[in-house]
Amino acid sequence: MVRAPCCEKMGLKKGPWSGEEDQILVNYIHLHGHGNWRALPKLAGLLRCGKSCRLRWTNYLRPDIKRGNFSLQEEHTILELHNLLGNRWSTIAAKLPGRTDNEIKNVWHTHLKKRAAANHDDSNNNNNHQQQQPTTKKRRSASKKSKTASVKDGQQTKPPAAAEEAEAKEEYSSDDVSSLTTGDNGGAQSNDAKPDDFSSTEEMDESFWSEVLSADSSTSTDHDFPAAELGSGLYDDPLASFVSSEGDGPGSGEEAAAAAAAAGLAHSIVDYTSMDFWYNLLTGDNNKELSELPPI
DNA sequence: AAGATTCTCAACCGCGGCACA
DNA sequence: GTGTGCCGCGGTTGAGAATCT
């Protein structure tokens, strides 16, 4: 089969998104949803291909995106899930509300991969008690995140206000947390163990999205633009976000089941940290494990 | 202080799967 | 059953900031 090109190469913009483009995309999806990504750019008046729009939305502009550094708990989750699932980033992302597969993939490649390798070596040397080493020897300063908020050729690539909030959240640098904890899963609490993290996230969402929503809050499409979730304790329940994300179109039944199980496990710290559980879930008696999950 | 190196992350690319005609 | 179009996923890249020497 001859695949049609993703987009006409002529006349379509590539590269970093400007704040104006972000605004156009957000406003359009807010008003109309994203029924057809391919047609969306034309309808919205964007000189981008649909793929690029979808990526920008799902990886950056979605209101339920949690920005900032990964908590120790999240890193632990990624490590364990990757150990079991491999590079199935979307499935892993389903376990981490507000995190995108792209973000998780980046985190993995930048430092978790090294940590996993180091842990493997440590375990081989029967010396694994320093599990949570700082992810890199060179620590980034708190201003690092502001980089992404910088202006590229006069184009702002981060949603307004996000940059400041990102800096504010820098205290939860995953590396910093890692370096401050003893590593015996001291952070293995549910995500609510970091209330400030979420509160700042909510503030970010509110500050940015309230501007957009204020344009026409009465016409939001609950499917594509969960405005009702804004500032409403979205992250109180990781499963809620998972269910929401599934609304866009679940993958295979098997994956959906695995992802659902993963999301459900967020409710159970003990199960979640159990490698045996994950092994059983993915390779063994799935039905039994699934039946034990908290009700959705 | 300046150049070199390392690191981060947004964005692109290509492929596979799925739905539909 | 086959062809086509769209979506989502995973791999990769490159610009720019942070850090080191």
Side-chain angles (χ1 to χ4, degrees), chain A residues 107-129:
Chain A
V107 168
W108 170 260
H109 282 124
T110 51
H111 53 257
L112 291 184
K113 185 165 64 177
K114 300 171 191 171
R115 180 187 296 175
N119 286 347
H120 183 67
D121 291 344
D122 287 349
S123 64
N124 286 343
N125 296 333
N126 197 21
N127 182 19
N128 197 27
H129 55 280

Side-chain angles (χ1 to χ4, degrees), chain A residues 155-170:
Chain A
Q155 299 174 341
Q156 185 163 18
T157 61
K158 203 172 191 91
E164 294 176 11
E165 294 298 335
E167 276 198 66
K169 286 186 289 187
E170 200 55 43

Side-chain angles (χ1 to χ4, degrees), chain A residues 277-290:
Chain A
F277 175 87
W278 285 102
Y279 181 81
N280 291 336
L281 174 65
L282 296 167
T283 64
D285 190 354
N286 288 10
N287 291 336
K288 175 176 179 293
E289 297 292 352
L290 288 170

